[in-house]
């Protein structure tokens, strides 16, 4: 086992303190506070917005340029991929289409 730096207490002491902080929820609280500070410093809202990302294969006609369509092996169709992000407020935001 790798030993901590010389100015650290023995590893068992460090592990015991960390385990206590983890069980008490302190590690999660520190992580959440740091994340909020970083997000605010970057100009974002402190609370992240949950979102769902989904894709859909849209069947492409033979008249569609070959460079703008691909082959979906799972569905076995020549298609274009359409991606949508749905945020918690249920507002769909189309993002991109590509083969």
């Amino acid at each position: 086992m790798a030993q901590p730096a010389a100015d650290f207490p023995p590893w068992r002491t460090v592990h015991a303190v960390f385990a206590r902080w983890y069980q008490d929820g302190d590690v999660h609280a520190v992580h959440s506070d740091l994340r909020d500070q970083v997000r605010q410093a970057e100009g974002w809202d402190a609370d992240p917005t949950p979102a769902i990302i989904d894709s859909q294969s849209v069947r492409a006609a033979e008249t569609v340029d070959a460079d703008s369509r691909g082959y979906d092996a799972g569905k076995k169709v020549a298609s274009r991929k359409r991606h949508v992000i749905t945020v918690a407020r249920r507002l769909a935001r189309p993002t991109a289409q590509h083969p």
Side-chain angles (χ1 to χ4, degrees), residues 3-9:
Q3 295 297 317
D7 56 346
F8 271 52

Side-chain angles (χ1 to χ4, degrees), residues 15-66:
H15 182 269
V17 171
F18 176 81
R20 187 172 61 241
W21 287 353
Y22 187 81
Q23 289 173 351
D24 293 344
D26 295 336
V27 172
H28 180 71
V30 169
H31 178 267
S32 295
D33 290 345
L34 290 174
R35 182 195 62 232
D36 293 350
Q37 290 176 21
V38 168
R39 288 181 61 85
Q40 289 173 339
E42 297 282 328
W44 293 83
D45 187 18
D47 294 323
T49 303
I52 298 170
I53 302 172
D54 196 9
S55 65
Q56 179 182 33
S57 295
V58 180
R59 193 175 301 268
E62 293 298 322
T63 57
V64 176
D65 290 336

